[in-house]
Amino acid sequence: MEIFLIRALQFVLAISILILIHEGGHFLFAKLFGIRVEKFFLFFDPWFHLFQFKPKNSDTTYGVGWLPLGGYCKIAGMIDESFDTEQMKQPAQPWEFRTKPAWQRLLVMIGGVLFNFLLALFIYAMILFTWGDSYIPVRNMSHGMRFNTEAKQLGFRDGDILIGTDKGEFKDFSADLYRDLSEAAYAEIIRDGKAMRINLPGEINLLGMLKNDPPFVRPLLPCVVDSVLPQSPAATSGMRKGDRIVGFNGKPVGSYNEFTEHIARLSDVLAVATTSADSLKARKATIVVEHAAQANAQGASLTDTLSVTLTPQLLVGFNVKSLAALYEPVTIEYGFLESLPAGVSYGIGVLTGYVDDLKYVFSAEGAKSLGGFGAIGSLFPPVWDWYVFWKMTAFISIMLAFMNLLPIPALDGGHVLFLIYEMITRRKPSETFMIRAEYVGFAILIILMLVANMNDVLRWLGYM
């Protein structure tokens, strides 16, 4: 419950910041051009609100709604999600949105997207200024990588050290590495100390690379025990720090990645167990370890076969070294002025990758990968970490900025599309058309929201 609350608080705080900035963009340009803003609300307020006030001599009512699905800035003389058709029946006033030149209305509509994007770039710049850019270079991962069956069919082997592709050298192990591999004509690796090149098809499905179990490639982690949890199955069996696990249930284990794959297959067996006896039988395992601190007369490590009864969650109770403990991170420090262009470059890279990945949304598998509020909330860590919080807030800000630019009525992009049409043709769409388009766009958004959040529920229930 505590983890849920921490993630929920981070999500609500991030969304609140982004809504205020987005609607603030619309508000600023509206005020700049003398357009009256009637309401400025954080969150929606159907039927009632949590709080509102109207400053003296102000035309704007500020408040907080109860439904945390967004916010709004109600601009006089504009057809928006409020569907205030009565106002549109009245004579047009000079302070209304509809009486202003098209270029001013266009700036009002893109103000929210512009502010979200600028916010993301500023956050990335301040992250670099405060924490620097810390990462583990892929070429320094001397234990190499663990590849799945699909990757091995292309020529990769476990232990290969990835260097780069024809698109450039890899920086760190991130989504960019997967993108480059999916589009590359070849990959450069080091195998057994020798540089090699592996030809690639140039059109590997990125979504499949990430969603396959196991995924296309992961950093290889040695299966050497770094710590044993007290009173765990590992502790009871006699497992000790420094032991190397070399076998599980009669099958060889070459890495911690391989060990977790064996555990995953065991979970499939446990899932079909119908009785407690069957469940207990599935959880009984044998683990072969090499005791690093002991050796026989010839100097070879002594092996031991341990009998272990895993927990109902299939936990053994030991940890191995993380990537950060195995390899020394590289940190690039930035001064304040240096961080600004670096943040812009980083943000543009994130946007480019996000836009490129959207093509997979229109596939059947991509539609299943859509996530709602639960999926977005799970992006935040289970403990409060300001570095991760600001990084995720910047990413969501870029995501919202781009999504809002989609040419769907009810989104900023829909209004922008109609304004561009008006500027080109010198003809303004009728108010009746705009109202109907707003209804259609709103319906599309509701359907998308229902599908995304239904996917969250199905994942939670284990059906996806």
Side-chain angles (χ1 to χ4, degrees):
M1 186 63 179
E2 181 182 355
I3 291 176
F4 170 80
L5 288 176
I6 291 173
R7 280 181 164 152
L9 284 172
Q10 292 180 87
F11 173 70
V12 171
L13 177 58
I15 289 298
S16 299
I17 293 171
L18 299 182
I19 291 170
L20 288 173
I21 293 296
H22 181 89
E23 300 303 333
H26 295 309
F27 181 91
L28 179 66
F29 279 104
K31 287 294 187 180
L32 184 64
F33 300 130
I35 302 172
R36 185 173 294 176
V37 178
E38 298 176 349
K39 295 180 74 173
F40 186 96
F41 262 65
L42 172 65
F43 305 149
F44 294 127
D45 61 333
W47 304 296
F48 69 94
H49 53 265
L50 300 180
F51 167 77
Q52 75 171 26
F53 74 99
K54 186 175 183 180
K56 188 177 181 181
N57 300 324
S58 174
D59 298 315
T60 307
T61 299
Y62 302 88
V64 178
W66 61 271
L67 188 60
L69 301 181
Y72 67 97
C73 178
K74 189 176 184 305
I75 297 173
M78 175 183 167
I79 299 171
D80 57 13
E81 61 271 13
S82 67
F83 299 109
D84 188 359
T85 56
E86 290 302 317
Q87 183 187 68
M88 304 304 293
K89 295 177 182 177
Q90 305 301 318
Q93 301 297 328
W95 62 77
E96 290 186 337
F97 178 83
R98 54 180 165 170
T99 63
K100 300 298 178 178
W103 67 270
Q104 291 185 4
R105 286 180 279 135
L106 180 64
L107 288 175
V108 171
M109 292 317 307
I110 66 173
V113 168
L114 176 64
F115 272 43
N116 273 144
F117 189 60
L118 291 177
L119 173 68
L121 299 183
F122 179 74
I123 291 176
Y124 282 133
M126 292 303 97
I127 287 174
L128 294 176
F129 173 65
T130 306
W131 289 282
D133 185 10
S134 185
Y135 62 96
I136 300 171
V138 176
R139 65 161 50 243
N140 291 356
M141 296 182 181
S142 55
H143 291 285
M145 303 290 162
R146 168 76 173 172
F147 298 90
N148 69 3
T149 303
E150 178 190 7
K152 288 176 180 176
Q153 289 173 347
L154 294 172
F156 292 105
R157 294 182 190 174
D158 289 341
D160 288 348
I161 302 173
L162 291 172
I163 302 299
T165 67
D166 53 296
K167 302 174 75 67
E169 184 173 336
F170 296 130
K171 178 187 174 185
D172 56 0
F173 193 87
S174 64
D176 289 336
L177 180 144
Y178 275 89
R179 290 190 190 99
D180 285 356
L181 285 173
S182 70
E183 300 172 355
Y186 63 84
E188 294 179 337
I189 65 167
I190 294 177
R191 178 181 296 168
D192 300 327
K194 297 179 181 179
M196 293 184 61
R197 178 175 290 184
I198 294 178
N199 293 324
L200 298 176
E203 49 184 19
I204 306 174
N205 184 280
L206 176 61
L207 196 61
M209 293 174 72
L210 292 166
K211 293 192 68 174
N212 284 342
D213 189 18
F216 189 87
V217 58
R218 293 166 294 163
L220 191 149
L221 296 174
C223 204
V224 177
V225 178
D226 187 54
S227 63
V228 178
L229 302 180
Q231 301 179 338
S232 65
T236 304
S237 70
M239 191 178 294
R240 299 188 295 271
K241 179 177 180 177
D243 287 350
R244 178 182 292 275
I245 296 176
V246 296
F248 181 83
N249 281 350
K251 297 178 181 178
V253 172
S255 64
Y256 183 66
N257 313 69
E258 197 170 350
F259 180 83
T260 59
E261 290 167 18
H262 288 312
I263 294 293
R265 284 191 284 270
L266 196 61
S267 67
D268 294 335
V269 177
L270 191 63
V272 298
T274 56
T275 66
S276 57
D278 291 337
S279 174
L280 181 62
K281 182 179 179 181
R283 291 190 286 116
K284 288 184 178 294
T286 56
I287 299 177
V288 181
V289 301
E290 290 182 351
H291 297 303
Q294 301 177 17
N296 59 20
Q298 288 74 37
S301 297
L302 291 177
T303 61
D304 196 2
T305 301
L306 309 177
S307 296
V308 181
T309 301
L310 281 62
T311 69
Q313 296 77 32
L314 297 181
L315 300 176
V316 183
F318 71 92
N319 296 312
V320 300
K321 285 186 176 181
S322 64
L323 281 178
L326 281 174
Y327 306 111
E328 186 72 26
V330 172
T331 301
I332 302 174
E333 303 288 348
Y334 290 89
F336 180 78
L337 294 179
E338 294 173 316
S339 69
L340 297 177
V344 171
S345 177
Y346 189 96
I348 291 174
V350 171
L351 175 63
T352 302
Y354 176 73
V355 173
D356 187 56
D357 294 346
L358 278 179
K359 61 188 176 187
Y360 295 102
V361 173
F362 301 101
S363 65
E365 194 63 30
K368 294 179 182 178
S369 69
L370 286 174
F373 298 112
I376 297 174
S378 67
L379 295 175
F380 292 94
V383 295
W384 201 285
D385 185 321
W386 283 111
Y387 171 80
V388 179
F389 170 81
W390 286 117
K391 201 167 186 178
M392 291 312 308
T393 300
F395 173 71
I396 297 172
S397 190
I398 280 183
M399 181 177 69
L400 289 178
F402 180 80
M403 294 299 291
N404 259 293
L405 268 183
L406 293 178
I408 299 174
L411 290 180
D412 295 342
H415 291 280
V416 168
L417 179 65
F418 295 137
L419 281 166
I420 291 175
Y421 166 82
E422 178 185 341
M423 294 171 74
I424 293 174
T425 64
R426 306 290 183 179
R427 294 173 57 191
K428 183 186 293 188
S430 70
E431 291 179 0
T432 301
F433 171 82
M434 293 295 291
I435 292 171
R436 289 175 178 172
E438 195 77 12
Y439 276 114
V440 170
F442 198 74
I444 292 172
L445 294 181
I446 292 296
I447 292 171
L448 289 174
M449 189 178 297
L450 288 173
V451 170
N453 285 283
M454 182 59 69
N455 283 350
D456 286 348
V457 173
L458 292 175
R459 291 189 195 98
W460 182 69
L461 294 175
Y463 291 106
M464 289 183 65

